[in-house]
Amino acid sequence: MSTTDTDSSPETVLYASPAASSGPKWVETPVAYDGILLAGFGGPEGQDDVIPFLRNVTRGRGIPDERLEEVAHHYRHFGGVSPINQHNRELKAALEAEIAARGLGLPVYWGNRNWEPYLEEAVTEAAEAGDTTLLAIATSAYSSFSSCRQYREDYARVLEATGLGETVTIDKVRQFFDHPGFVTTFVRGVTDAVSAYVAEGIAPEKIRVLFSTHSIPSADAERSGPRDVDFGEGGAYAAQHKAVAAFVMAEVAAAVADVEWELVYQSRSGPPTQPWLEPDVNDVIAELPGRGAEAVVIVPLGFVSDHMEVLWDLDTEAMEAAEEAGIKAVRTPTPGIDPAYVSGLIDLVEERLKGTPKAERPHLTDLGPWYDVCRPGCCENIRAGFKPVAAGLRP
Ligand SMILES: CC1=C(CCC(=O)O)c2cc3nc(cc4[nH]c(cc5[nH]c(cc1n2)c(C)c5CCC(=O)O)c(CCC(=O)O)c4C)C(CCC(=O)O)=C3C
Ligand SMILES: [Fe+2]
């Protein structure tokens, strides 16, 4: 399987033209970006925010009220506060420090898709400062509607809503699932966890590593990534996770021991009649003792920080499942503001500023380095219908 650009030569990296309204839409020379747009998911920061936030997230997608109540309960348990905004404040500060250390002189504007500060405010602030050629970093590493295209739809929606569509362009860095900066935390976390179990006297054959990511509708998964490349069952989304997990486990085998692993899914929503990616993390944990496991390492491979999906679905529910199953369990860290992750994100910015050829771009799996510019139809979602997107190749 190859992921060469499908409608241009594999070596060709395309860049947005700074002038959105005139001239070619895409050019083949690097762009002098003048600001970074840090795009977050957003989360509530008090009990009164919880329901309005959930309505924002599910707007137009027909999530039943019962499901909203169920999810509201997870937030209420933590005082109505998701840690995700605080993570992004810290990430913004860390990115600014790295940019300053490298003398790049780029401001970072932070905005969220679903809660304050909204992307609208960030883009308006950038435009007011005269920073109109923006490079977005979304806090999301893989390809799928929810993890890539929906961010691009929101950039387009915000440009329209603010009336800045003719003055501001928003490009994005490539999906970074296999960039060393993102993967380092997971390699270290799994290596440490497996080593600790072995040091406790647990044989490697009795250990299982479960890589967990957000479940998505199977139909979205099939459409993840560029339209005309076949990535097998689960599309690019599943293929990317499996490739990164295999890389991590090869590192663990070299450092400690060979350990069995599996990709599992969490946080499913939507009606039971709609197929989503499986198996569920808790179902697999329940079966582990019957398969000879005594200890499990849970790896939040799909997530960049310890937000609600990690705190509730893994640290609360999956830990309970492990206790019920009578096996030992640990959860490894997310990248958060790991210096390797922060510096990796700025490497992604620099490769765009410099126009680093694809062949020289760091990537740890055969699937990468991923596209800078999403191809037409990439990560489409037929349920949500067609909406305009930014940061894509014009059809
Ligand atoms: C792939 C993926 C990521 C990873 C990529 C990325 O990070 O972007 C992600 C992240 C997140 N998802 C989050 C929260 C929610 N996701 C929901 C709903 C959904 N997520 C989906 C997918 C993903 N989600 C899907 C297919 C749905 C259902 C339909 C829909 O709405 O598209 C709902 C609605 C209620 C429910 O159905 O559970 C909530 C509240 C938070 C914030 C956590 C916090 O506050 O700390 C974060 C970081
Ligand atoms: Fe989600």
Side-chain angles (χ1 to χ4, degrees):
M1 181 168 29
S2 98
T3 50
T4 52
D5 291 356
T6 50
D7 46 6
S8 64
S9 82
E11 293 73 27
T12 306
V13 182
L14 296 164
Y15 302 90
S17 163
S21 55
S22 61
K25 294 292 187 191
W26 296 95
V27 294
E28 288 183 20
T29 48
V31 172
Y33 292 105
D34 42 33
I36 304 297
L37 180 63
L38 177 62
F41 190 97
E45 295 195 282
Q47 296 287 12
D48 293 344
D49 296 351
V50 174
I51 293 296
F53 160 74
L54 291 175
R55 296 234 173 272
N56 281 350
V57 175
T58 60
R59 197 179 352 230
R61 232 160 305 123
I63 307 284
D65 271 3
E66 299 142 30
R67 173 66 194 169
L68 288 195
E69 287 306 326
E70 208 178 287
V71 179
H73 162 75
H74 306 171
Y75 287 97
R76 302 231 181 273
H77 178 86
F78 294 95
V81 181
S82 161
I84 200 167
N85 290 344
Q86 188 54 32
H87 294 160
N88 281 322
R89 288 184 192 103
E90 288 165 16
L91 180 60
K92 177 177 185 281
L95 292 171
E96 285 166 343
E98 183 69 18
I99 287 167
R102 297 192 196 187
L104 294 175
L106 285 174
V108 181
Y109 300 97
W110 165 50
N112 296 316
R113 294 186 35 238
N114 302 300
W115 200 250
E116 297 159 11
Y118 289 106
L119 279 168
E120 279 85 340
E121 297 161 42
V123 171
T124 305
E125 194 192 334
E128 280 168 4
D131 296 327
T132 53
T133 309
L134 303 178
L135 184 61
I137 300 175
T139 52
S140 187
Y142 298 85
S143 298
S144 79
F145 176 70
S146 303
S147 49
C148 184
R149 192 181 182 96
Q150 209 172 10
Y151 284 86
R152 297 174 51 220
E153 286 186 357
D154 281 339
Y155 305 148
R157 180 181 54 73
V158 164
L159 290 177
E160 173 76 26
T162 54
L164 290 167
E166 291 298 303
T167 20
V168 174
T169 53
I170 304 176
D171 288 351
K172 62 179 277 293
V173 298
R174 59 178 159 111
Q175 296 308 96
F176 50 77
F177 59 94
D178 70 347
H179 193 279
F182 174 69
V183 181
T184 297
T185 312
F186 297 110
V187 171
R188 196 191 307 127
V190 183
T191 305
D192 289 352
V194 170
S195 307
Y197 279 149
V198 171
E200 274 179 53
I202 302 172
E205 312 83 71
K206 306 267 179 199
I207 303 170
R208 295 292 182 284
V209 177
L210 298 184
F211 290 91
S212 187
T213 192
H214 209 300
S215 186
I216 58 173
S218 305
D220 287 3
E222 295 308 324
R223 284 165 187 274
S224 57
R227 185 154 52 190
D228 48 3
V229 184
D230 183 5
F231 294 92
E233 207 187 326
Y237 186 71
Q240 291 169 347
H241 284 87
K242 282 180 194 155
V244 177
F247 173 84
V248 171
M249 293 315 291
E251 295 290 296
V252 172
V256 198
D258 240 321
V259 175
E260 266 184 50
W261 65 271
E262 192 177 331
L263 177 63
V264 298
Y265 298 92
Q266 62 173 91
S267 320
R268 182 201 206 282
S269 60
T273 48
Q274 187 182 46
W276 283 53
L277 295 179
E278 288 177 344
D280 182 79
V281 57
N282 298 314
D283 294 343
V284 173
I285 289 172
E287 290 167 6
L288 287 183
R291 293 202 244 140
E294 283 173 16
V296 59
V297 178
I298 302 169
V299 189
L301 191 66
F303 305 104
V304 301
S305 73
D306 287 8
H307 53 66
M308 202 50 81
E309 264 72 3
V310 176
L311 296 183
W312 184 267
D313 298 322
L314 295 181
D315 292 350
T316 310
E317 289 190 330
M319 285 299 162
E320 276 170 25
E323 208 180 307
E324 276 168 37
I327 54 168
K328 287 177 183 274
V330 288
R331 195 268 291 172
T332 69
T334 52
I337 51 165
D338 188 325
Y341 176 54
V342 172
S343 117
L345 292 177
I346 300 304
D347 289 345
L348 290 168
V349 172
E350 281 212 73
E351 73 181 21
R352 296 297 288 276
L353 292 170
K354 290 179 181 156
T356 307
K358 271 201 161 179
E360 291 165 29
R361 294 183 176 203
H363 59 100
L364 299 173
T365 76
D366 292 344
L367 296 174
W370 206 250
Y371 307 74
D372 286 348
V373 176
C374 294
R375 271 38 190 169
C378 195
C379 297
E380 262 174 350
N381 174 334
I382 39 172
R383 289 169 298 119
F386 177 81
K387 294 203 186 89
V389 282
L393 188 71
R394 271 47 156 208

